[in-house]
């Protein structure tokens, strides 16, 4: 009598184990994820965690009077530049400052900030996935599906959750809205109109860690070596920095 063969089901990794494996053995994790079945939890759970971390950050940081003052000063400086450029009258500026219902630290500010994080987190995730999916197809002839790319990008964002809490500690410790694990921490008085200061702030240890983890995931997804994947991801990041610094200075009135 021929013995029946029962296929062994692929063991599903728990969310906690997935998080731990991302930090300890990302290459093995992404190799398993890329070859495995689609799992919505691989991107849905990290993005929800990122949103929660971001909202916690807003409520704690902007409950500090000194941080509220720094944020208000930034807004005032931006509007004063608009007055200088003729885009706003002095009366409109005074009215905007006095009658603003969403002043930093106010309930409306917290609500708008939380909504912004909620919408922005999903928008950034799927826009980034779209860009990387297209880059993979063009540069590496990748056959990876959009949703599988979403899983890789989503899992990598666990690092940004850690980054939110680390940055929170820096902001509270240095009592500065611009503090964080970046090179700008060595700047005495941060100036958002200074492109060097903006560049230094962008060179963030945790961001570099996130990009490296993402590169490992994309290497498995695109079926290419890590050097090419790292070079591609960091090149895209460099382009992003140039664009954001340019428009950041424009917004600041530089």
């Amino acid at each position: 009598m021929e013995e029946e063969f029962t296929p062994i089901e692929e063991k599903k990794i728990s969310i906690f184990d997935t998080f731990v494996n991302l930090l300890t053995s990302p290459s093995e994790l992404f190799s398993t994820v890329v070859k495995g079945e689609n799992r919505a939890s691989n991107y849905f759970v990290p993005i929800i965690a990122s949103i929660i971390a971001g909202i916690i950050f807003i409520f704690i940081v902007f409950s500090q009077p000194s941080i509220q003052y720094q944020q208000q000063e930034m807004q005032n400086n931006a509007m004063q530049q608009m007055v200088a450029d003729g885009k706003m009258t002095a009366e409109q500026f005074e009215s905007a400052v006095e009658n603003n219902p969403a002043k930093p630290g106010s309930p409306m500010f917290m609500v708008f900030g939380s909504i912004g994080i909620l919408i922005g987190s999903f928008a950034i995730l799927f826009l980034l996935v779209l860009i990387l999916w297209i880059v993979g197809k063009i540069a590496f002839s990748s056959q990876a599906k959009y949703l599988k790319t979403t899983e890789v990008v989503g899992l990598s964002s666990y690092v940004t959750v850690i980054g939110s809490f680390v940055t929170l500690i820096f902001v509270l410790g240095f009592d500065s809205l611009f503090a964080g694990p970046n090179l700008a921490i060595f700047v005495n008085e941060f100036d958002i109109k200074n492109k060097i200061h903006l560049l230094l702030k962008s060179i963030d240890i945790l961001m570099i860690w996130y990009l490296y983890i993402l590169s490992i995931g994309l290497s498995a997804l695109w079926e290419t070596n890590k050097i090419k994947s790292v070079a591609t991801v960091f090149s895209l990041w460099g382009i992003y920095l140039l664009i954001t610094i340019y428009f950041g200075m424009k917004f600041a009135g530089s």
Side-chain angles (χ1 to χ4, degrees):
M1 181 177 176
E2 192 172 324
E3 186 177 349
E4 291 186 7
F5 174 73
T6 304
I8 300 174
E9 290 187 8
E10 182 182 351
K11 183 180 178 182
K12 290 188 176 181
I13 306 174
S14 69
I15 292 172
F16 178 76
D17 287 339
T18 299
F19 175 73
V20 172
N21 290 340
L22 178 78
L23 305 182
T24 58
S25 52
S27 295
E28 294 179 16
L29 172 66
F30 284 120
S31 178
T32 301
V33 168
V34 168
K35 295 175 183 177
E37 296 180 356
N38 291 341
R39 293 184 65 185
S41 61
N42 283 338
Y43 59 86
F44 189 73
V45 174
I47 199 66
I48 293 300
S50 297
I51 291 170
I52 293 173
I55 292 174
I56 290 173
F57 182 92
I58 283 182
F59 272 82
I60 294 179
V61 167
F62 288 101
S63 65
Q64 311 300 314
S66 58
I67 301 297
Q68 294 173 12
Y69 174 78
Q70 292 172 37
Q71 180 67 26
Q72 187 64 60
E73 281 296 292
M74 285 178 55
Q75 294 177 358
N76 290 350
N77 290 337
M79 287 190 290
Q80 285 173 345
Q81 185 61 47
M82 293 177 68
V83 173
D85 293 340
K87 299 177 181 178
M88 176 184 285
T89 65
E91 291 76 15
Q92 289 174 327
F93 167 71
E94 292 178 4
S95 177
V97 172
E98 293 176 4
N99 303 318
N100 181 14
K103 291 181 179 180
S106 67
M108 189 172 291
F109 179 90
M110 302 297 194
V111 170
F112 284 166
S114 299
I115 293 174
I117 288 176
L118 176 63
I119 297 174
S121 295
F122 279 103
I124 291 172
L125 170 67
F126 292 111
L127 176 60
L128 178 58
V129 170
L130 178 61
I131 292 172
L132 294 175
W133 180 65
I134 293 174
V135 169
K137 282 192 171 297
I138 295 175
F140 301 101
S141 301
S142 171
Q143 299 301 311
K145 303 297 183 182
Y146 180 88
L147 282 180
K148 188 57 69 174
T149 307
T150 307
E151 288 185 51
V152 169
V153 176
L155 286 172
S156 301
S157 66
Y158 270 129
V159 176
T160 65
V161 177
I162 298 173
S164 293
F165 290 108
V166 172
T167 302
L168 173 62
I169 294 171
F170 272 85
V171 170
L172 296 180
F174 287 86
D175 196 27
S176 171
L177 187 57
F178 306 104
N182 55 65
L183 296 183
I185 198 170
F186 300 109
V187 175
N188 291 328
E189 294 184 10
F190 188 89
D191 181 5
I192 61 172
K193 296 182 181 180
N194 189 313
K195 60 184 178 181
I196 301 299
H197 289 187
L198 292 173
L199 180 60
L200 290 174
K201 187 177 185 304
S202 300
I203 304 176
D204 187 293
I205 294 174
L206 287 166
M207 174 56 71
I208 292 173
W209 181 25
Y210 162 72
L211 293 172
Y212 178 69
I213 292 292
L214 177 60
S215 298
I216 293 176
L218 292 174
S219 173
L221 185 74
W222 293 340
E223 298 181 337
T224 186
N225 63 61
K226 291 179 184 177
I227 294 177
K228 290 182 180 180
S229 180
V230 168
T232 301
V233 169
F234 277 81
S235 295
L236 292 172
W237 181 53
I239 294 171
Y240 168 78
L241 283 184
L242 292 176
I243 294 173
T244 53
I245 289 175
Y246 173 78
F247 283 103
M249 291 178 67
K250 282 290 184 181
F251 176 77
S254 179

